[in-house]
Amino acid sequence: MVLLFGSCKVYTVTTQSGDISTVVHYRSNDTIQVSKFDSIGRIYESKYFKCGRLENQFIYNYDTETGYYTKLTVDNNRGINGPYISYFPSGAIYQAGSLAHVTGFKIEYLDGYHEISIISTTNDSALIDVGNFIEYYENGKIKLKGKYSWFYYEISDKPDNITLGEPVYIKTERIPVKSGKFKYYDQNGRLLKVETWHEGHLIETRTAK
């Protein structure tokens, strides 16, 4: 099949392997899109190539109970990493944000004042929400928007008895927290309230007049 988008010709080839369908779009501008679909016609993977090099890759996760689904960006080196979009069962956008792998670190007692200091990073990482976040009503209007940042949360107590010169390791957990302004709207797009957050703590709430 040959399709025409503007001045760009698109050649489409569909192949079948068991329950998996693969659709390849060959564009005359040296761009290739490869999409894979499951047995009921849902897309679950798409890759975009330019001049033979992979430029973008996405996977799709489906919630079979609710019908919501999410398009996730895949990084060749880090797996799921980058922008994502979640959809209502109707196909309307539900949420848009970004996921990132946040590296962990080791901390230990370093001086005689019982202070805990960062000394080195670890190889493990946690996948959490970071950056700008928007949630929508099904009619397309924005429901809320704000920003998440990562925060290292200490979940084990600092030891009472510390021997000078001996390392003391503290377990930490990375969690996404609200940061800065969060704005909430009604289904007609009217601003309802504005919240101010700092490291996951609500500082102020202002109701729109």
Side-chain angles (χ1 to χ4, degrees):
M1 177 185 296
V2 180
L3 304 175
L4 190 63
F5 293 92
S7 60
C8 178
K9 287 185 178 180
V10 180
Y11 301 84
T12 302
V13 178
T14 302
T15 59
Q16 190 78 28
S17 177
D19 292 332
I20 304 303
S21 299
T22 302
V23 178
V24 182
H25 300 290
Y26 299 91
R27 291 177 167 80
S28 56
N29 61 354
D30 294 323
T31 301
I32 298 175
Q33 176 186 345
V34 181
S35 302
K36 293 186 177 182
F37 299 82
D38 62 19
S39 59
I40 58 176
R42 300 181 305 186
I43 187 171
Y44 71 89
E45 181 183 270
S46 59
K47 296 181 179 180
Y48 296 82
F49 298 85
K50 179 72 173 180
C51 298
R53 298 186 62 178
L54 179 64
E55 288 198 329
N56 295 295
Q57 181 178 356
F58 306 97
I59 61 172
Y60 298 77
N61 286 343
Y62 295 87
D63 188 322
T64 55
E65 293 185 0
T66 64
Y68 287 79
Y69 61 100
T70 303
K71 177 184 179 182
L72 299 158
T73 302
V74 178
D75 182 278
N76 282 340
N77 298 317
R78 310 198 72 178
I80 297 173
N81 196 73
Y84 70 88
I85 302 176
S86 294
Y87 299 87
F88 287 99
S90 64
I93 295 178
Y94 170 49
Q95 293 178 339
S98 187
L99 296 171
H101 286 272
V102 181
T103 306
F105 58 79
K106 294 185 296 184
I107 52 180
E108 71 174 25
Y109 169 74
L110 288 179
D111 55 37
Y113 298 99
H114 291 189
E115 295 295 329
I116 299 295
S117 302
I118 301 172
I119 60 167
S120 63
T121 59
T122 60
N123 292 326
D124 75 303
S125 62
L127 185 66
I128 62 175
D129 262 292
V130 295
N132 295 327
F133 175 84
I134 303 177
E135 184 172 325
Y136 297 86
Y137 292 102
E138 198 164 3
N139 65 3
K141 297 290 186 179
I142 292 177
K143 183 176 183 180
L144 69 90
K145 63 180 178 179
K147 183 179 181 180
Y148 285 97
S149 62
W150 58 81
F151 182 73
Y152 287 89
Y153 177 66
E154 188 175 307
I155 59 175
S156 60
D157 294 331
K158 181 176 169 181
D160 293 327
N161 299 317
I162 298 177
T163 302
L164 185 62
E166 290 187 2
V168 176
Y169 294 99
I170 307 297
K171 185 178 180 181
T172 60
E173 180 182 3
R174 287 131 288 170
I175 59 173
V177 295
K178 292 181 177 180
S179 177
K181 304 290 186 183
F182 265 71
K183 297 181 179 180
Y184 298 80
Y185 303 83
D186 66 16
Q187 294 192 41
N188 296 315
R190 185 175 66 89
L191 181 65
L192 296 175
K193 67 176 180 177
V194 179
E195 296 176 343
T196 302
W197 293 79
H198 177 69
E199 293 184 348
H201 298 284
L202 181 60
I203 305 301
E204 179 187 38
T205 298
R206 179 170 54 85
T207 303
K209 296 181 180 180

